[in-house]
Amino acid sequence: VQHRSLSAPKGFHFDVDQEQQRRGGALRSPALSSILYLTDAGGPTLILDQVATICSWSGHVLLSPPEPAEADVIHPLANRFVLFRAACLHGCLPPLGAGCGVEGAEAAEQPKRTTLLVNWWIGERPAPPSCAEAPPSLLDEMRRASAPHYAEALTAGGGAWKWDEAVARPLDVSDVGTGEA
């Protein structure tokens, strides 16, 4: 779960195996990334159709295509779920007007952009600390703590989990591969 101040949105990045990259290995991404918005606060997520490639002679990261041809803008809405190819460049834009340049106690009083982020790997999973087994005691505690809240949320107002046709697009997962670049 990620809590971010409205004045400090997440910059643009690729989801990668950070430990493998640190060791100088191939740039490796999960097959899919997902975002579950837990609050309505914050700026939208921007997902571009650009992926990272490594230049064979310089070792620098290049964008392919050099200019994005497509972009998806997803505004935070509690219980909105987004699934996308993890190799795509993405990040959070600052909210318009609200939270920009706010610091100190004023920033602490602002609502937080809260999301549950899950990367879905195919094949070998990343090394800890990027990816680790959750202890059974933690999973049991999460089940006990969340069960009443889910039941309450699902019965309130005809169900809290809704398919949002305005932002839903088909996702072709036939070419997600293993995430090797």
Side-chain angles (χ1 to χ4, degrees):
V1 174
Q2 187 177 81
H3 303 283
R4 296 196 76 81
S5 165
L6 299 186
S7 60
K10 178 75 172 163
F12 282 84
H13 63 282
F14 302 96
D15 291 338
V16 297
D17 183 341
Q18 294 174 345
E19 182 59 24
Q20 182 169 321
Q21 187 178 14
R22 187 189 66 76
R23 292 188 314 243
L27 191 61
R28 183 173 164 250
S29 293
L32 299 169
S33 290
S34 62
I35 305 168
L36 175 62
Y37 295 95
L38 302 175
T39 64
D40 298 339
T45 300
L46 178 64
I47 304 169
L48 303 173
D49 66 344
Q50 294 175 294
V51 297
T53 59
I54 304 294
C55 178
S56 60
W57 60 271
S58 71
H60 292 118
V61 175
L62 303 173
L63 294 177
S64 178
E67 299 290 328
E70 291 185 21
D72 289 310
V73 178
I74 300 97
H75 292 271
L77 181 65
N79 294 323
R80 178 172 282 164
F81 182 76
V82 180
L83 186 67
F84 61 97
R85 291 186 57 207
C88 291
L89 182 61
H90 61 281
C92 177
L93 300 172
L96 292 175
C100 295
V102 176
E103 297 178 3
E106 190 179 349
E109 293 175 14
Q110 287 188 321
K112 301 281 189 239
R113 181 182 197 263
T114 304
T115 53
L116 173 64
L117 308 171
V118 177
N119 291 327
W120 304 89
W121 294 87
I122 294 175
E124 183 182 345
R125 68 179 185 192
S130 297
C131 187
E133 291 286 333
S137 59
L138 174 62
L139 295 174
D140 289 341
E141 181 62 29
M142 289 172 67
R143 285 185 198 104
R144 280 195 302 278
S146 64
H149 302 292
Y150 286 140
E152 181 180 313
L154 290 172
T155 58
W161 298 95
K162 297 183 178 113
W163 181 257
D164 191 339
E165 292 292 339
V167 297
R169 284 192 331 143
L171 178 67
D172 179 7
V173 296
S174 63
D175 65 344
V176 294
T178 62
E180 297 289 335

